Amino acid sequence: MQFQIKRDTLLKSLTVAHNIIERKNTIPILANVLLQIKNNILNIIATDLDIVFHDQISDLKIENDGSTTTSATVLYDLLRKIPTNLDITFVLESKNKLKITAKNSKFNLLCLPIDDFPNFSNNFKNDPLNLDGQKFLALLNKTKIAMSNDDTRHYLNGVFMHLTESNGRNFLTGVATDSHRLSSSSLEIDNTQDFKPFILPRKTVFQLCSLLSEMSEPLFIQISENKVMFLIGKIRLISKVIDGKFPDYKKVVPMNNKKVLVVKTKDFISSIERVATVSLDRKEGLKIGISKDHIQLSVNSANSGDGNEKIQANFNGENINISFNSKYLIDIASEVEDSNLKMNLNDSVSPVLIEDISDKNSYYVIMPMKI
């Protein structure tokens, strides 16, 4: 195997491959990336057995076909430290030695045989679902904030993707919850055939967000019994889905909260951040005193002091005092696109519905804290 490639071209792909592999793993081959030259294309494959990343690069000069695996972390770090836009030559000198040269630099990396690398079969037979990548990215960004990280309820450690219908229109809806907060976002789709609901694991969600934020190509999704494949340009990301039943989230979405608070989104975020600064432990809670034309935000920490701030707002109900986890509120408010944030309340202990006036297809639910 021998080929020459631009450093920047390869680094872009290696950045994703490096993020996929598990650093601490007991199977040495899983720390490696597979480099395969075949049919005038460089295939780059990395996996942690739950996610498979497969990229194809055709912008390179090939001398000889062949394949090998080498440490994804070492190769990634090496490429990062080589000057930008240099030509890099790869030569597989023996079964376990890969020579890399770039201008005045020369490196020999150890390799493992490709026979040990996992083999993946694609059993995606249904028609792909075509989506706008940037709209799907927005959906993921709005829902991922509420993903759980609790191993005892593994089915909450991701985003639940399913079809919903409203006013005769079909939507792909993502929902996540950690039981303290819930986020939901939808995008309209045409083709709903062969779609099976699935729970997308948190690691895959973050990898997809990273990929989609840098790519403008259309996105295609294909689903099998226990896997989902995302195709973006020449990149394929195949992920296992979470085996479990997502709870009936609609039961916790309040539909009859009549008391409406409207506050400037940016002012609300800035004020929370300032007031919460006095608390070293964000779990201590943010108290909000809601009145007709303003809200009073306060934090009182036994260890570090207290903070208070008043900002303008509009409220159509009787005065309420309510408390929240400040980080949860900031996470939600930061995803609201509209200049105003709308909170629908009932009382100081019931779930609160937060709406984005500029995005009718997204909403958030947050549980108050007891202080």
Side-chain angles (χ1 to χ4, degrees), residues 238-356:
I238 302 167
S239 170
K240 285 184 181 175
V241 298
I242 292 176
D243 182 19
K245 186 169 171 28
F246 200 80
D248 184 0
Y249 67 91
K250 289 177 184 172
K251 286 181 180 174
V252 301
V253 181
M255 305 307 289
N256 298 308
N257 286 7
K258 305 294 186 194
K259 298 168 185 175
V260 179
L261 169 71
V262 178
V263 60
K264 292 284 183 195
T265 308
K266 282 187 179 174
D267 293 351
F268 190 52
I269 294 170
S270 301
S271 186
I272 295 171
E273 286 177 336
R274 282 191 293 271
V275 171
T277 304
V278 299
S279 173
L280 298 172
D281 180 4
R282 291 297 171 94
K283 291 175 185 172
E284 284 178 322
L286 169 83
K287 294 178 184 173
I288 304 180
I290 305 173
S291 307
K292 189 178 179 182
D293 57 3
H294 70 271
I295 56 174
Q296 177 91 26
L297 294 89
S298 61
V299 166
N300 193 333
S301 170
N303 300 316
S304 48
D306 61 76
N308 293 274
E309 192 164 310
K310 186 190 287 188
I311 57 172
Q312 285 186 323
N314 290 310
F315 187 54
N316 68 354
E318 298 294 315
N319 291 6
I320 290 181
N321 290 313
I322 192 166
S323 301
F324 296 104
N325 179 310
S326 60
K327 181 186 181 304
Y328 292 175
L329 262 189
I330 290 171
D331 285 348
I332 290 171
S334 299
E335 292 302 329
V336 171
E337 295 174 18
D338 199 82
S339 58
N340 289 319
L341 179 140
K342 183 181 175 186
M343 297 177 80
N344 303 276
L345 303 101
N346 185 31
D347 52 41
S348 60
V349 293
S350 300
V352 174
L353 177 68
I354 298 178
E355 293 180 279
D356 185 345

Side-chain angles (χ1 to χ4, degrees), residues 38-94:
K38 191 177 175 184
N39 301 328
N40 296 320
I41 285 172
L42 169 62
N43 292 282
I44 297 170
I45 303 172
T47 184
D48 64 356
L49 294 184
D50 289 327
I51 308 174
V52 184
F53 166 75
H54 185 180
D55 193 11
Q56 294 186 322
I57 299 174
S58 51
D59 186 14
L60 74 166
K61 294 174 187 168
I62 298 168
E63 293 291 329
N64 294 305
D65 287 1
S67 53
T68 190
T69 81
T70 192
S71 168
T73 301
V74 173
L75 184 55
Y76 166 73
D77 283 343
L78 192 58
L79 290 172
R80 275 195 317 136
K81 290 162 186 172
I82 287 174
T84 187
N85 221 28
L86 270 190
D87 285 320
I88 304 176
T89 303
F90 288 74
V91 180
L92 186 61
E93 296 215 311
S94 68

Side-chain angles (χ1 to χ4, degrees), residues 12 17 23 30 33 40 63 73 99 136 140 142 145 159 168 182 185 205 212 240 261 270 279 288 292 337 339 350 369:
K12 194 174 177 184
R23 312 288 180 275
L30 294 182
V33 60
N40 296 320
E63 293 291 329
T73 301
K99 186 171 85 173
F136 188 68
L140 291 178
K142 290 178 181 191
I145 56 172
V159 176
L182 178 146
S185 186
V205 170
L212 290 168
K240 285 184 181 175
L261 169 71
S270 301
S279 173
I288 304 180
K292 189 178 179 182
E337 295 174 18
S339 58
S350 300
M369 284 179 74

